[in-house]
Coordinates of all heavy atoms in Angstrom, one line a residue:
G10 N -4.2 -0.8 16.0 CA -2.8 -0.6 16.1 C -2.1 -1.8 15.6 O -1.1 -1.6 14.7
R11 N -2.2 -2.9 16.1 CA -1.5 -4.1 15.9 C -1.8 -4.6 14.4 O -0.9 -5.0 13.7 CB -1.8 -5.2 16.8 CG -0.9 -6.3 16.8 CD -1.1 -7.2 18.0 NE 0.1 -7.9 18.3 CZ 0.3 -8.6 19.3 NH1 -0.7 -8.7 20.3 NH2 1.4 -9.3 19.6
F12 N -3.1 -4.5 14.0 CA -3.5 -4.9 12.7 C -2.8 -4.0 11.6 O -2.3 -4.5 10.6 CB -5.0 -4.7 12.5 CG -5.5 -5.0 11.1 CD1 -5.5 -6.2 10.6 CD2 -5.9 -3.8 10.4 CE1 -5.9 -6.3 9.2 CE2 -6.3 -4.0 9.1 CZ -6.4 -5.2 8.5
M13 N -2.9 -2.7 11.9 CA -2.2 -1.8 10.8 C -0.7 -2.0 10.9 O -0.2 -1.9 9.7 CB -2.5 -0.3 11.3 CG -4.0 0.1 11.2 SD -4.3 1.8 11.3 CE -3.9 2.2 12.9
L14 N -0.1 -2.3 11.9 CA 1.4 -2.5 12.0 C 1.7 -3.8 11.0 O 2.6 -3.9 10.2 CB 2.0 -2.7 13.3 CG 3.4 -2.9 13.5 CD1 4.2 -1.8 12.8 CD2 3.8 -3.2 14.9
H15 N 0.8 -4.9 11.3 CA 1.0 -6.1 10.6 C 0.7 -5.8 9.0 O 1.6 -6.3 8.2 CB 0.0 -7.2 11.1 CG 0.0 -8.4 10.4 ND1 1.2 -9.3 10.3 CD2 -0.8 -9.0 9.5 CE1 0.9 -10.3 9.6 NE2 -0.3 -10.2 9.1
F16 N -0.3 -5.2 8.7 CA -0.7 -5.0 7.3 C 0.4 -4.2 6.7 O 0.8 -4.4 5.6 CB -2.1 -4.2 7.3 CG -2.4 -3.8 5.9 CD1 -3.0 -4.7 5.0 CD2 -2.2 -2.5 5.4 CE1 -3.3 -4.4 3.7 CE2 -2.5 -2.2 4.1 CZ -3.1 -3.2 3.2
T17 N 0.9 -3.1 7.3 CA 1.9 -2.3 6.7 C 3.2 -3.0 6.5 O 3.8 -2.9 5.4 CB 2.2 -1.1 7.6 OG1 1.0 -0.3 7.8 CG2 3.2 -0.1 7.0
S18 N 3.6 -3.8 7.4 CA 4.9 -4.6 7.3 C 4.8 -5.6 6.3 O 5.7 -5.8 5.4 CB 5.3 -5.2 8.7 OG 4.3 -6.1 9.0
Q19 N 3.6 -6.3 6.1 CA 3.3 -7.4 5.0 C 3.4 -6.6 3.7 O 4.0 -7.1 2.7 CB 2.0 -8.0 5.3 CG 2.0 -9.0 6.4 CD 3.0 -10.2 6.0 OE1 3.1 -10.7 4.9 NE2 3.6 -10.7 7.1
F20 N 2.8 -5.5 3.6 CA 2.7 -4.7 2.4 C 4.2 -4.3 1.9 O 4.5 -4.5 0.7 CB 1.8 -3.5 2.5 CG 1.6 -2.8 1.1 CD1 0.8 -3.2 0.2 CD2 2.3 -1.6 1.0 CE1 0.6 -2.6 -1.0 CE2 2.2 -0.9 -0.3 CZ 1.3 -1.4 -1.3
K21 N 4.9 -3.8 2.8 CA 6.3 -3.4 2.5 C 7.1 -4.6 2.1 O 7.9 -4.4 1.2 CB 6.9 -2.7 3.8 CG 6.4 -1.3 4.1 CD 7.2 -0.7 5.3 CE 6.8 0.6 5.6 NZ 7.5 1.2 6.8
A22 N 7.0 -5.7 2.8 CA 7.7 -6.9 2.4 C 7.4 -7.3 1.0 O 8.3 -7.6 0.2 CB 7.5 -8.0 3.5
Q23 N 6.1 -7.4 0.6 CA 5.7 -7.8 -0.6 C 6.2 -6.9 -1.7 O 6.6 -7.2 -2.8 CB 4.2 -8.0 -0.7 CG 3.7 -9.1 0.0 CD 4.2 -10.5 -0.4 OE1 4.3 -10.7 -1.6 NE2 4.5 -11.3 0.5
F24 N 6.1 -5.6 -1.4 CA 6.6 -4.5 -2.3 C 8.1 -4.7 -2.5 O 8.5 -4.6 -3.8 CB 6.2 -3.1 -1.8 CG 6.1 -2.0 -2.7 CD1 5.0 -1.9 -3.5 CD2 7.2 -1.1 -2.9 CE1 4.9 -0.8 -4.4 CE2 7.1 -0.1 -3.8 CZ 6.0 0.1 -4.6
C25 N 8.8 -4.9 -1.5 CA 10.3 -5.1 -1.7 C 10.6 -6.3 -2.5 O 11.6 -6.3 -3.3 CB 11.0 -5.1 -0.3 SG 11.0 -3.5 0.5
I26 N 9.9 -7.4 -2.2 CA 10.3 -8.6 -3.0 C 9.9 -8.5 -4.4 O 10.7 -8.8 -5.3 CB 9.4 -9.8 -2.3 CG1 9.9 -10.2 -0.9 CG2 9.3 -11.0 -3.2 CD1 9.0 -11.1 -0.2
Y27 N 8.7 -7.9 -4.7 CA 8.4 -7.6 -6.1 C 9.5 -6.7 -6.7 O 9.9 -6.9 -7.9 CB 7.0 -7.0 -6.2 CG 6.7 -6.6 -7.6 CD1 6.4 -7.6 -8.6 CD2 6.8 -5.3 -8.0 CE1 6.1 -7.2 -9.9 CE2 6.5 -4.9 -9.3 CZ 6.1 -5.8 -10.3 OH 5.9 -5.5 -11.6
G28 N 9.9 -5.7 -6.0 CA 10.9 -4.8 -6.7 C 12.2 -5.4 -6.9 O 12.8 -5.2 -8.0
M29 N 12.7 -6.3 -6.0 CA 13.9 -7.0 -6.2 C 13.9 -8.0 -7.4 O 14.7 -8.1 -8.1 CB 14.4 -7.7 -4.9 CG 14.8 -6.8 -3.8 SD 16.2 -5.6 -4.3 CE 17.5 -6.9 -4.5
Q30 N 12.7 -8.6 -7.4 CA 12.6 -9.6 -8.6 C 12.5 -8.8 -9.9 O 13.1 -9.3 -10.8 CB 11.2 -10.4 -8.4 CG 11.2 -11.4 -7.3 CD 9.9 -12.0 -7.0 OE1 8.9 -11.5 -7.5 NE2 9.9 -13.2 -6.4
H31 N 11.9 -7.7 -9.9 CA 11.9 -6.9 -11.1 C 13.3 -6.4 -11.4 O 13.7 -6.4 -12.7 CB 11.0 -5.8 -10.9 CG 10.8 -4.8 -12.1 ND1 10.2 -5.2 -13.3 CD2 11.3 -3.6 -12.4 CE1 10.3 -4.3 -14.2 NE2 11.0 -3.3 -13.7
L32 N 14.0 -5.9 -10.5 CA 15.4 -5.5 -10.7 C 16.3 -6.6 -11.3 O 17.2 -6.4 -12.1 CB 16.0 -5.0 -9.5 CG 15.7 -3.5 -9.1 CD1 16.3 -3.2 -7.8 CD2 16.2 -2.6 -10.2
M33 N 16.1 -7.8 -10.8 CA 17.0 -8.9 -11.2 C 16.7 -9.3 -12.7 O 17.6 -9.9 -13.3 CB 16.7 -10.1 -10.3 CG 17.2 -9.9 -8.9 SD 18.9 -9.3 -8.9 CE 19.6 -10.4 -7.7
R34 N 15.5 -9.0 -13.1 CA 15.2 -9.3 -14.5 C 15.6 -8.2 -15.6 O 15.6 -8.4 -16.7 CB 13.6 -9.6 -14.6 CG 13.2 -10.9 -14.0 CD 11.7 -11.2 -14.4 NE 10.8 -10.1 -13.8 CZ 10.1 -10.4 -12.8 NH1 10.2 -11.5 -12.1 NH2 9.3 -9.4 -12.3
L35 N 16.0 -7.0 -15.0 CA 16.4 -6.0 -15.9 C 17.8 -6.3 -16.5 O 18.7 -7.0 -15.9 CB 16.5 -4.7 -15.1 CG 15.3 -4.1 -14.7 CD1 15.6 -2.8 -13.8 CD2 14.4 -3.7 -15.9
P36 N 18.0 -6.0 -17.8 CA 19.3 -6.2 -18.4 C 20.4 -5.4 -17.8 O 20.1 -4.3 -17.3 CB 19.1 -5.9 -19.9 CG 17.9 -5.0 -19.9 CD 17.0 -5.4 -18.7
L37 N 21.6 -5.8 -17.9 CA 22.7 -5.0 -17.4 C 22.8 -3.7 -18.1 O 23.2 -2.7 -17.6 CB 24.0 -5.8 -17.6 CG 25.3 -5.2 -17.1 CD1 25.2 -5.0 -15.5 CD2 26.5 -6.1 -17.3
S38 N 22.4 -3.7 -19.4 CA 22.5 -2.4 -20.1 C 21.6 -1.3 -19.4 O 21.9 -0.1 -19.6 CB 22.0 -2.6 -21.6 OG 20.7 -3.0 -21.6
F39 N 20.6 -1.6 -18.8 CA 19.8 -0.7 -18.1 C 20.6 0.1 -17.0 O 20.5 1.3 -16.8 CB 18.6 -1.4 -17.3 CG 17.7 -0.5 -16.5 CD1 16.7 0.3 -16.9 CD2 18.0 -0.4 -15.1 CE1 16.0 1.1 -16.2 CE2 17.2 0.4 -14.3 CZ 16.2 1.1 -14.8
F40 N 21.4 -0.7 -16.3 CA 22.2 0.0 -15.2 C 23.4 0.7 -15.8 O 23.9 1.6 -15.2 CB 22.7 -1.1 -14.2 CG 21.5 -1.7 -13.5 CD1 21.0 -2.9 -14.0 CD2 20.9 -1.1 -12.4 CE1 20.0 -3.5 -13.2 CE2 19.8 -1.6 -11.8 CZ 19.4 -2.9 -12.1
Q41 N 23.9 0.2 -17.0 CA 25.0 0.9 -17.6 C 24.7 2.3 -18.2 O 25.5 3.1 -18.3 CB 25.7 0.0 -18.7 CG 26.3 -1.3 -18.1 CD 26.8 -2.3 -19.1 OE1 26.2 -2.3 -20.3 NE2 27.7 -3.1 -18.8
K42 N 23.4 2.3 -18.5 CA 23.0 3.7 -19.3 C 22.7 4.7 -18.2 O 22.5 5.9 -18.6 CB 21.8 3.4 -20.1 CG 22.0 2.6 -21.3 CD 20.7 2.3 -22.1 CE 20.9 1.4 -23.3 NZ 19.7 1.1 -24.0
R43 N 22.5 4.4 -16.9 CA 22.1 5.4 -16.0 C 23.1 5.6 -14.9 O 23.9 4.7 -14.5 CB 20.8 4.9 -15.2 CG 19.6 4.9 -16.2 CD 18.5 4.1 -15.7 NE 17.3 4.1 -16.7 CZ 17.2 3.5 -17.9 NH1 18.3 2.8 -18.3 NH2 16.3 3.7 -18.7
L44 N 23.1 6.8 -14.4 CA 24.1 7.1 -13.3 C 23.5 6.5 -12.0 O 22.3 6.4 -11.9 CB 24.2 8.7 -13.2 CG 24.8 9.4 -14.3 CD1 24.7 10.8 -14.2 CD2 26.3 8.9 -14.5
P45 N 24.3 6.2 -11.1 CA 23.9 5.6 -9.7 C 22.9 6.6 -9.1 O 22.0 6.1 -8.5 CB 25.1 5.5 -8.9 CG 26.3 5.4 -9.9 CD 25.8 6.2 -11.1
G46 N 23.1 7.9 -9.2 CA 22.2 8.9 -8.6 C 20.7 8.8 -9.2 O 19.8 8.9 -8.5
Q47 N 20.7 8.5 -10.5 CA 19.4 8.3 -11.1 C 18.6 7.1 -10.6 O 17.4 7.1 -10.3 CB 19.5 8.2 -12.6 CG 20.0 9.4 -13.3 CD 20.3 9.2 -14.8 OE1 20.9 8.2 -15.2 NE2 19.7 10.1 -15.6
I48 N 19.3 6.1 -10.4 CA 18.7 4.9 -9.9 C 18.3 5.0 -8.4 O 17.2 4.6 -8.1 CB 19.7 3.6 -10.0 CG1 20.0 3.4 -11.5 CG2 19.2 2.3 -9.4 CD1 21.1 2.4 -11.9
Q49 N 19.1 5.7 -7.7 CA 18.8 6.0 -6.3 C 17.5 6.9 -6.2 O 16.6 6.6 -5.3 CB 20.0 6.7 -5.6 CG 19.7 6.9 -4.1 CD 20.9 7.6 -3.4 OE1 21.8 7.9 -4.0 NE2 20.7 7.7 -2.1
V50 N 17.4 7.9 -7.1 CA 16.2 8.7 -7.0 C 14.9 7.9 -7.3 O 13.9 8.1 -6.8 CB 16.4 9.9 -8.0 CG1 15.1 10.7 -8.3 CG2 17.4 10.9 -7.5
A51 N 15.1 7.0 -8.3 CA 14.0 6.2 -8.7 C 13.5 5.3 -7.5 O 12.3 5.1 -7.2 CB 14.3 5.2 -9.9
F52 N 14.5 4.7 -6.7 CA 14.1 4.0 -5.6 C 13.4 4.8 -4.5 O 12.5 4.3 -3.9 CB 15.4 3.3 -4.9 CG 15.7 2.0 -5.6 CD1 16.9 1.9 -6.4 CD2 15.0 0.9 -5.4 CE1 17.2 0.7 -7.0 CE2 15.3 -0.3 -6.0 CZ 16.5 -0.4 -6.8
Q53 N 13.9 6.0 -4.3 CA 13.3 6.9 -3.3 C 11.8 7.2 -3.8 O 11.0 7.3 -2.9 CB 14.1 8.2 -3.1 CG 15.4 8.0 -2.4 CD 16.3 9.1 -2.5 OE1 16.1 10.1 -3.2 NE2 17.4 9.1 -1.6
A54 N 11.6 7.5 -5.1 CA 10.3 7.7 -5.5 C 9.4 6.5 -5.2 O 8.2 6.6 -4.9 CB 10.3 8.0 -7.0
L55 N 9.9 5.3 -5.5 CA 9.2 4.0 -5.2 C 8.8 3.9 -3.7 O 7.7 3.5 -3.4 CB 9.9 2.7 -5.6 CG 9.9 2.5 -7.2 CD1 10.8 1.3 -7.5 CD2 8.5 2.2 -7.6
E56 N 9.6 4.3 -2.9 CA 9.4 4.2 -1.4 C 8.2 5.2 -1.1 O 7.3 4.9 -0.3 CB 10.6 4.6 -0.7 CG 10.4 4.5 0.9 CD 11.7 4.8 1.6 OE1 12.8 4.8 1.1 OE2 11.6 5.0 2.9
T57 N 8.2 6.4 -1.7 CA 7.1 7.4 -1.5 C 5.8 6.8 -1.9 O 4.8 6.9 -1.2 CB 7.5 8.7 -2.3 OG1 8.8 9.2 -1.8 CG2 6.4 9.7 -2.0
V58 N 5.8 6.2 -3.1 CA 4.6 5.6 -3.6 C 4.1 4.5 -2.7 O 2.9 4.4 -2.4 CB 4.9 5.0 -5.1 CG1 3.7 4.2 -5.6 CG2 5.1 6.2 -6.1
Q59 N 5.0 3.6 -2.2 CA 4.7 2.5 -1.4 C 4.1 3.0 0.0 O 3.0 2.5 0.4 CB 6.0 1.7 -1.0 CG 5.7 0.5 -0.1 CD 6.1 0.9 1.3 OE1 7.1 1.6 1.6 NE2 5.3 0.4 2.2
K60 N 4.6 4.1 0.5 CA 4.1 4.7 1.8 C 2.7 5.2 1.5 O 1.7 5.1 2.3 CB 5.0 5.7 2.3 CG 6.2 5.2 2.9 CD 7.1 6.4 3.4 CE 8.4 5.8 4.0 NZ 9.3 7.0 4.4
K61 N 2.5 5.9 0.4 CA 1.2 6.4 0.1 C 0.2 5.3 -0.1 O -1.0 5.4 0.4 CB 1.3 7.3 -1.2 CG 0.0 8.0 -1.6 CD -0.4 9.0 -0.7 CE -1.6 9.7 -1.2 NZ -2.4 10.3 -0.2
L62 N 0.5 4.3 -0.9 CA -0.4 3.2 -1.1 C -0.8 2.4 0.2 O -2.0 2.2 0.3 CB 0.2 2.2 -2.1 CG 0.2 2.6 -3.5 CD1 0.9 1.6 -4.4 CD2 -1.1 2.8 -4.0
S63 N 0.1 2.2 1.1 CA -0.2 1.5 2.3 C -1.1 2.4 3.2 O -2.0 1.9 3.8 CB 1.1 1.0 3.0 OG 1.9 2.2 3.4
S64 N -0.8 3.7 3.3 CA -1.6 4.5 4.2 C -3.0 4.7 3.6 O -4.0 4.7 4.3 CB -1.0 5.9 4.4 OG -0.9 6.6 3.3
D65 N -3.1 4.8 2.3 CA -4.4 4.9 1.6 C -5.2 3.7 1.7 O -6.5 3.7 2.1 CB -4.3 5.3 0.2 CG -4.0 6.7 -0.1 OD1 -3.9 7.5 0.9 OD2 -3.7 7.1 -1.2
A66 N -4.6 2.4 1.6 CA -5.3 1.2 1.8 C -5.8 1.1 3.2 O -7.0 0.7 3.4 CB -4.4 0.1 1.5
I67 N -5.2 1.5 4.2 CA -5.6 1.4 5.6 C -6.8 2.4 5.8 O -7.8 2.0 6.4 CB -4.5 1.7 6.6 CG1 -3.5 0.5 6.5 CG2 -5.0 1.9 8.0 CD1 -2.2 0.8 7.3
D68 N -6.7 3.6 5.3 CA -7.8 4.5 5.4 C -9.0 4.0 4.8 O -10.1 4.2 5.3 CB -7.4 5.8 4.8 CG -6.3 6.6 5.5 OD1 -6.1 6.2 6.7 OD2 -5.8 7.5 5.0
I69 N -8.9 3.4 3.6 CA -10.1 2.9 2.9 C -10.7 1.7 3.6 O -11.9 1.7 3.8 CB -9.7 2.5 1.5 CG1 -9.4 3.7 0.6 CG2 -10.9 1.6 0.7 CD1 -8.9 3.4 -0.8
L70 N -9.9 0.9 4.2 CA -10.3 -0.3 4.9 C -11.2 0.2 6.2 O -12.2 -0.3 6.5 CB -9.3 -1.2 5.4 CG -9.6 -2.4 6.2 CD1 -10.5 -3.3 5.4 CD2 -8.4 -3.1 6.6
L71 N -10.5 1.1 7.0 CA -11.2 1.6 8.2 C -12.4 2.3 7.8 O -13.5 2.2 8.5 CB -10.2 2.4 9.0 CG -9.0 1.7 9.6 CD1 -8.1 2.7 10.3 CD2 -9.5 0.7 10.6
T72 N -12.4 3.1 6.8 CA -13.6 3.9 6.5 C -14.8 3.0 6.0 O -15.9 3.1 6.4 CB -13.3 4.9 5.2 OG1 -12.3 5.8 5.7 CG2 -14.6 5.6 4.9
T73 N -14.4 1.9 5.3 CA -15.4 0.9 4.9 C -16.1 0.2 6.2 O -17.2 0.0 6.2 CB -14.8 -0.1 4.0 OG1 -14.3 0.6 2.8 CG2 -15.9 -1.1 3.5
I74 N -15.1 -0.2 7.1 CA -15.7 -0.9 8.3 C -16.6 0.1 9.1 O -17.6 -0.4 9.5 CB -14.5 -1.4 9.1 CG1 -13.8 -2.5 8.4 CG2 -14.9 -1.7 10.5 CD1 -12.4 -2.9 9.1
L75 N -16.2 1.3 9.2 CA -17.0 2.2 10.0 C -18.3 2.5 9.3 O -19.4 2.7 9.9 CB -16.3 3.6 10.2 CG -15.1 3.5 11.2 CD1 -14.4 4.8 11.2 CD2 -15.7 3.1 12.6
F76 N -18.3 2.6 7.9 CA -19.5 2.8 7.2 C -20.5 1.6 7.3 O -21.7 1.9 7.6 CB -19.1 3.0 5.6 CG -20.3 3.1 4.8 CD1 -21.1 4.3 4.7 CD2 -20.7 2.1 4.0 CE1 -22.1 4.5 3.9 CE2 -21.9 2.2 3.2 CZ -22.5 3.5 3.1
I77 N -20.0 0.4 7.3 CA -20.8 -0.8 7.5 C -21.4 -0.8 8.9 O -22.6 -1.1 9.1 CB -20.1 -2.0 7.1 CG1 -19.9 -2.1 5.6 CG2 -20.8 -3.3 7.5 CD1 -18.8 -3.2 5.1
M78 N -20.6 -0.6 9.9 CA -21.0 -0.5 11.3 C -22.1 0.5 11.5 O -23.1 0.2 12.2 CB -19.8 -0.4 12.2 CG -18.9 -1.6 12.3 SD -17.4 -1.3 13.2 CE -18.2 -0.8 14.8
N79 N -21.9 1.7 10.9 CA -22.9 2.8 11.0 C -24.2 2.3 10.4 O -25.3 2.5 10.9 CB -22.4 4.0 10.4 CG -23.2 5.2 10.7 OD1 -24.0 5.2 11.8 ND2 -23.1 6.3 10.0
G80 N -24.2 1.7 9.3 CA -25.4 1.2 8.6 C -26.1 0.2 9.4 O -27.4 0.2 9.5
I81 N -25.4 -0.8 10.0 CA -26.0 -1.8 10.8 C -26.6 -1.1 12.1 O -27.8 -1.5 12.4 CB -25.0 -2.8 11.2 CG1 -24.6 -3.6 9.9 CG2 -25.6 -3.7 12.2 CD1 -23.4 -4.6 10.2
L82 N -26.0 -0.2 12.6 CA -26.5 0.5 13.8 C -27.8 1.3 13.5 O -28.8 1.3 14.2 CB -25.5 1.4 14.4 CG -25.8 2.2 15.7 CD1 -26.1 1.2 16.8 CD2 -24.8 3.2 16.0
M83 N -27.8 2.0 12.3 CA -29.0 2.7 11.8 C -30.1 1.7 11.6 O -31.3 2.0 12.0 CB -28.7 3.5 10.5 CG -27.8 4.7 10.8 SD -27.3 5.5 9.3 CE -28.9 5.9 8.6
I84 N -30.0 0.6 11.0 CA -31.0 -0.3 10.8 C -31.4 -0.9 12.0 O -32.7 -1.1 12.3 CB -30.5 -1.4 9.8 CG1 -30.3 -0.8 8.3 CG2 -31.5 -2.6 9.7 CD1 -29.7 -1.8 7.4
F85 N -30.6 -1.2 13.0 CA -31.0 -1.8 14.3 C -31.8 -0.7 15.0 O -32.7 -1.1 15.7 CB -29.7 -2.1 15.0 CG -30.0 -2.8 16.4 CD1 -30.5 -4.0 16.4 CD2 -29.8 -2.0 17.6 CE1 -30.8 -4.6 17.7 CE2 -30.1 -2.6 18.7 CZ -30.5 -3.8 18.8
Y86 N -31.4 0.5 14.9 CA -32.1 1.6 15.7 C -33.5 1.8 15.1 O -34.5 1.8 15.9 CB -31.4 2.8 15.7 CG -31.9 4.0 16.4 CD1 -32.0 4.0 17.8 CD2 -32.6 5.0 15.7 CE1 -32.6 5.1 18.5 CE2 -33.1 6.1 16.3 CZ -33.2 6.1 17.7 OH -33.8 7.1 18.4
S87 N -33.6 1.9 13.8 CA -34.9 2.1 13.2 C -34.7 1.8 11.7 O -34.2 2.6 10.9 CB -35.3 3.6 13.3 OG -36.6 3.7 12.7
G88 N -35.3 0.6 11.3 CA -35.1 0.3 9.9 C -36.0 1.2 9.0 O -35.7 1.4 7.9
W89 N -37.1 1.6 9.5 CA -38.0 2.5 8.7 C -37.3 3.9 8.5 O -37.4 4.4 7.4 CB -39.3 2.8 9.6 CG -40.2 3.6 8.7 CD1 -41.0 3.1 7.8 CD2 -40.5 5.0 8.9 NE1 -41.8 4.2 7.2 CE2 -41.4 5.4 8.0 CE3 -40.0 6.0 9.8 CZ2 -42.0 6.6 7.9 CZ3 -40.5 7.2 9.7 CH2 -41.5 7.6 8.8
L90 N -36.5 4.4 9.4 CA -35.9 5.7 9.2 C -34.6 5.5 8.4 O -34.2 6.5 7.7 CB -35.5 6.3 10.5 CG -36.5 6.8 11.4 CD1 -36.1 7.3 12.8 CD2 -37.3 7.9 10.8
S91 N -34.1 4.3 8.3 CA -32.8 4.1 7.5 C -33.3 4.0 6.1 O -32.7 4.3 5.2 CB -32.2 2.8 7.9 OG -31.8 2.9 9.2

């Protein structure tokens, strides 16, 4: 629980920092060509991607840990059967 909360908050912070740095490098003409609603929709899409990436990363990490632990347990129980 605590690890996942820490990982998720760190991921969100890094994602936001990267996004803001990228926005600051965009030319003013980028914002002049688009309506505020278009920019807002793009930000909402990025938030969806960020949530999906963070949840998938946690799932992969936990699955890998469980897979390794299961393999160690199988070898400990019976190396020949493994």
Side-chain angles (χ1 to χ4, degrees):
R11 197 172 205 169
F12 170 76
M13 290 192 295
L14 181 63
H15 176 72
F16 176 79
T17 304
S18 63
Q19 287 292 327
F20 185 78
K21 284 182 181 180
Q23 291 297 323
F24 201 80
C25 288
I26 290 169
Y27 174 77
M29 288 305 290
Q30 288 174 343
H31 181 71
L32 279 176
M33 295 307 230
R34 287 191 295 260
L35 289 173
L37 185 59
S38 61
F39 174 84
F40 297 99
Q41 291 172 337
K42 291 178 184 176
R43 287 160 182 79
L44 297 172
Q47 289 174 313
I48 296 171
Q49 183 179 5
V50 168
F52 275 108
Q53 289 171 345
L55 281 175
E56 185 178 347
T57 304
V58 169
Q59 179 264 324
K60 285 180 182 177
K61 180 71 174 154
L62 286 176
S63 64
S64 66
D65 283 355
I67 291 171
D68 288 344
I69 289 170
L70 179 65
L71 291 176
T72 302
T73 302
I74 290 170
L75 290 174
F76 177 76
I77 291 170
M78 289 175 58
N79 191 21
I81 291 170
L82 184 63
M83 286 174 57
I84 290 171
F85 181 75
Y86 180 72
S87 176
W89 183 77
L90 291 175
S91 302

